[in-house]
Amino acid sequence: MTTPVIFIHGLWLHATSWEPWIEMFRAEGYAPIAPGWPGDPDTVAEARETPESIADHGIDDVVEHFAKIIRGLDEAPILIGHSFGGMIAQKLLGQDLGRAAVAIDAAQIKGVLPLPLSALRATLPVFKNPANKHRAVSLTAEQFRFAFGNAIPAEESDALFEKWTIPAPGKPLFEAAAANFDPHSPAKVDTDNQSRGPLLLMTGGKDHTVPEAVTRATLKQYRHSEAVTDITEFPDKGHSLTIDSGWREVADTALTWLRRQGL
């Protein structure tokens, strides 16, 4: 039977931004899909026209949305998530709903303390207004270039902005920001799970939104589990690493690691 792979996007990118990955994984013999988050329209254009459909979905809503999709599959999938999608993938893996996970520049989970200035600046468009917790917020091309496209030419960043960006719910960012003050935070991941599948954390050395310090602090959260937890760094990549012209190196690294796990 062909192993299913679920790709999980993060904030500000549409699910269709995974299309090159889907083609590559399908060619490698997997059965990949990239469902949107709850409320996500089918196209980038529709998402931009109806931001209210995306608004006010929190971390638990997104996790349950993907858990429901997983329960409809014949077997547990491999989970590959970027940014907040990387956090969602870790939560699902901790709940034993995936056979393995690749978390790429994953949003910080509960227990991760570093809060680099660049991460604050990247998320300022959401946090500058408390009412944004219940809204969907869009980035400008300039904000996208700082948060995603700082390690690539400005022209490429602007082209990616035009092609893939959509409004994002502010709620997950507010939940993650309060995680270490909330004993029941939805950003909590079962990092002590001994029986979960293997996990690969990927980090871009030039990432402004999820700097390397955040990913390395995430790795430490798994120190009490004997399950496989690996980390790979791409020193010259930023937060756009899944969608920019260097995406194939990232995808190849994920594939190679999955093969090494017997998947």
Side-chain angles (χ1 to χ4, degrees):
M1 188 177 287
T2 308
T3 302
V5 179
I6 293 183
F7 291 100
I8 308 172
H9 71 79
L11 300 182
W12 293 300
L13 294 180
H14 192 266
T16 50
S17 64
W18 287 114
E19 282 172 357
W21 289 68
I22 286 176
E23 290 173 16
M24 181 178 180
F25 271 71
R26 188 176 291 125
E28 291 290 331
Y30 294 93
I33 56 171
W37 281 28
D40 278 6
D42 290 340
T43 67
V44 170
E46 288 175 89
R48 290 172 180 170
E49 289 166 11
T50 57
E52 64 281 358
S53 69
I54 296 167
D56 217 20
H57 293 291
I59 294 169
D60 284 341
D61 299 328
V62 183
V63 171
E64 182 50 39
H65 173 75
F66 281 94
K68 189 174 179 181
I69 292 168
I70 290 169
R71 292 185 198 110
L73 299 174
D74 292 331
E75 59 179 294
I78 293 166
L79 305 163
I80 299 180
H82 171 247
S83 199
F84 257 94
M87 175 202 279
I88 303 302
Q90 290 177 76
K91 282 188 66 80
L92 292 165
L93 186 71
Q95 295 171 10
D96 295 319
L97 289 171
R99 61 173 59 192
V102 179
I104 307 167
D105 285 343
Q108 67 190 76
I109 64 175
K110 180 176 170 64
V112 170
L113 299 178
L115 191 57
L117 284 173
S118 68
L120 286 172
R121 181 177 161 189
T123 52
L124 188 61
V126 172
F127 289 128
K128 67 183 180 183
N129 185 346
N132 284 340
K133 181 174 182 179
H134 302 292
R135 296 174 177 163
V137 181
S138 298
L139 297 181
T140 65
E142 186 179 356
Q143 289 165 344
F144 179 83
R145 197 175 310 148
F146 180 83
F148 284 77
N150 60 292
I152 56 176
E155 300 77 26
E156 183 181 0
S157 177
D158 290 348
L160 293 172
F161 172 81
E162 288 298 330
K163 189 173 186 180
W164 298 126
T165 59
I166 62 171
K171 193 170 185 178
L173 279 168
F174 281 91
E175 290 174 333
N180 292 326
F181 308 100
D182 179 359
H184 306 294
S185 170
K188 180 173 174 53
V189 170
D190 185 0
T191 52
D192 294 342
N193 186 340
Q194 303 287 343
S195 61
R196 65 161 170 83
L199 169 66
L200 174 63
L201 300 171
M202 290 184 165
T203 178
K206 293 184 176 179
D207 193 323
H208 281 166
T209 302
V210 185
E212 183 187 347
V214 171
T215 304
R216 295 206 175 272
T218 300
L219 178 66
K220 288 180 182 173
Q221 294 297 309
Y222 286 93
R223 63 189 178 277
H224 300 301
S225 173
E226 292 179 10
V228 172
T229 313
D230 294 332
I231 189 168
T232 298
E233 182 192 357
F234 299 95
D236 298 323
K237 294 187 184 297
H239 205 60
S240 65
L241 77 176
T242 57
I243 57 170
D244 62 34
S245 55
W247 72 271
R248 189 173 287 276
E249 180 190 358
V250 183
D252 277 335
T253 302
L255 266 173
T256 300
W257 179 83
L258 288 167
R259 299 292 195 209
R260 212 179 297 139
Q261 308 307 317
L263 298 166

